[in-house]
Amino acid sequence: MCGLCGLLGVAGLWLRNRVGETEQFAAAGQEGLVRSNPLRTMREHPGAALRVFAITIAGTVIYYVWIVYLAQYAQLTTGLPLSQGLWANTIAQAVFIVALPFGGKLSDRFGRKPPVGSLMSQTPGPG
């Protein structure tokens, strides 16, 4: 499995190096709007960097709790066989992967705030 992942990583790197930039990105680069040092950008805009980090870490934690712990939690709390919990998790992941491009399309059409706000409003709070 690790070998397959390594091959996919190399294929992704090869594709990334071969695919050209979009016209908008190339134009922004010619105008000097693209920065090559992300650390400098983070130093100059610490508030924005912290917001990006917070949004990213929240989604990452929720995702990994869902992937790693949800099947076991269902087994421990409801008695659901672990195999059924894992299958439910696998099906949910397949749906998630299929839905990702549509989320990107919504974000392209309406901007990033409405889709992110919609997802955040569906996230359960404490208690």
Side-chain angles (χ1 to χ4, degrees), residues 64-106:
Y64 280 103
V65 166
W66 175 21
I67 293 301
V68 173
Y69 186 64
L70 198 59
Q72 185 177 5
Y73 178 77
Q75 179 192 27
L76 294 173
T77 58
T78 67
L80 184 74
L82 187 58
S83 63
Q84 287 183 2
L86 291 171
W87 271 113
N89 206 348
T90 302
I91 292 167
Q93 282 301 301
V95 170
F96 179 68
I97 290 169
V98 169
L100 277 175
F102 298 106
K105 186 82 168 165
L106 285 173

Side-chain angles (χ1 to χ4, degrees), residues 12-94:
L13 182 62
W14 180 81
L15 281 172
R16 179 63 189 105
N17 288 330
R18 297 288 186 257
V19 173
E21 299 294 350
T22 63
E23 293 175 14
Q24 294 88 353
F25 188 80
Q30 290 175 350
E31 294 173 14
L33 299 174
V34 177
R35 298 189 180 196
S36 61
N37 186 346
L39 294 177
R40 183 183 317 157
T41 303
M42 289 175 21
R43 275 195 313 268
E44 292 174 2
H45 305 283
L50 185 61
R51 282 191 299 276
V52 168
F53 175 77
I55 290 170
T56 302
I57 199 69
T60 302
V61 168
I62 291 168
Y63 177 80
Y64 280 103
V65 166
W66 175 21
I67 293 301
V68 173
Y69 186 64
L70 198 59
Q72 185 177 5
Y73 178 77
Q75 179 192 27
L76 294 173
T77 58
T78 67
L80 184 74
L82 187 58
S83 63
Q84 287 183 2
L86 291 171
W87 271 113
N89 206 348
T90 302
I91 292 167
Q93 282 301 301

